[in-house]
């Protein structure tokens, strides 16, 4: 990274570390207490997940990201709903209006198109309020609402339109990180 920055005449410290800029040591300690493995690849994924503007799509074959995210978002009444659940739309509706965190787990097949406005965060503004359309309903958007998508499947099994709309976070870990986790 240093040589890349230097070659473009960009001023930087000798060993720039974006992770250190985003995550002070206390934050990493908090994440460890919430169950996040100590490997750098998991820290990088968590850092991106917490600052992403797009809905995170977490590649998580071992369930590490899902377990950590449930603990991390626990104070925001987190709900986990399988992608194939018949109650997904009702849970999403409630989460948007009340301001819960919602994790849609097991995403690998095409998602119900009526959920796309929530995934893409396409909101319309009326007065001081924002609204998201889910199905045929306009829902008042609660700013505390957070949406996460999780899959254990490889990225090639996730529909391309969904990949385009999401911030892809890799919680697969490197082989060394998985070994360290054990």
């Amino acid at each position: 990274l240093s040589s890349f920055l230097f070659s473009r005449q960009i001023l930087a410290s000798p060993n720039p570390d974006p992770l250190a800029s985003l995550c002070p040591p206390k934050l990493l300690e908090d994440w460890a207490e919430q169950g996040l493995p100590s490997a750098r690849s998991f820290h990088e994924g968590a850092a991106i997940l917490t600052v992403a503007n797009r809905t995170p799509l977490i590649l998580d074959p071992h369930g590490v990201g899902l377990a950590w995210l449930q603990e991390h978002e626990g104070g925001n009444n987190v709900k986990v709903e399988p992608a194939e659940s018949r109650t997904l739309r009702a849970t999403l509706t409630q989460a948007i209006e009340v301001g819960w965190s919602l994790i849609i787990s097991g995403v690998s097949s095409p998602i119900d198109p009526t959920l796309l406005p929530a995934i893409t965060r396409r909101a319309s503004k009326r007065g001081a309020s924002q609204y998201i359309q889910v199905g045929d309903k306009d829902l008042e958007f609660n700013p505390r609402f957070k949406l996460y998508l999780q899959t254990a499947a490889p990225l090639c099994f996730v529909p391309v339109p969904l990949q385009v709309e999401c911030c892809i976070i890799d919680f697969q870990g490197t082989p060394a990180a998985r070994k360290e986790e054990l």
Side-chain angles (χ1 to χ4, degrees):
L1 183 61
S2 292
S3 60
F4 173 81
L5 295 173
F6 181 74
S7 70
R8 284 159 180 74
Q9 299 178 345
I10 299 171
L11 295 175
S13 62
N15 297 312
D17 184 6
L19 183 61
S21 299
L22 288 172
C23 304
K26 174 67 174 121
L27 182 61
L28 296 177
E29 290 172 18
D30 291 346
W31 288 349
E33 289 174 12
Q34 295 165 352
L36 187 69
S38 62
R40 183 177 176 92
S41 61
F42 291 107
H43 291 165
E44 290 169 348
I48 294 168
L49 186 138
T50 57
V51 298
N53 288 327
R54 291 180 170 205
T55 297
L57 170 60
I58 304 161
L59 304 177
D60 187 25
H62 308 291
V64 173
L66 180 60
W68 171 73
L69 193 53
Q70 284 178 279
E71 189 66 32
H72 179 70
E73 287 292 330
N76 196 25
N77 199 9
V78 66
K79 303 289 182 199
V80 179
E81 191 79 23
E84 302 298 324
S85 171
R86 293 176 190 253
T87 60
L88 176 58
R89 191 185 300 182
T91 304
L92 177 63
T93 297
Q94 201 170 11
I96 290 171
E97 292 179 329
V98 177
W100 294 337
S101 294
L102 176 63
I103 304 168
I104 301 176
S105 65
V107 174
S108 62
S109 58
I111 276 248
D112 179 354
T114 62
L115 305 180
L116 285 176
I119 292 170
T120 59
R121 300 179 185 183
R122 240 179 289 148
S124 59
K125 195 167 189 171
R126 288 189 223 138
S129 300
Q130 289 189 326
Y131 292 84
I132 292 181
Q133 186 173 6
V134 176
D136 59 350
K137 294 181 184 176
D138 278 345
L139 307 173
E140 188 169 353
F141 177 77
N142 186 315
R144 291 184 318 152
F145 167 70
K146 294 181 186 174
L147 179 63
Y148 303 93
L149 306 176
Q150 182 268 350
T151 184
L155 189 58
C156 62
F157 290 105
V158 177
V160 174
L162 195 55
Q163 293 180 33
V164 171
E165 296 295 344
C166 294
C167 177
I168 298 171
I169 311 289
D170 187 356
F171 266 91
Q172 297 177 79
T174 62
R178 287 193 298 272
K179 186 177 181 182
E180 182 182 313
E181 187 185 336
L182 296 175

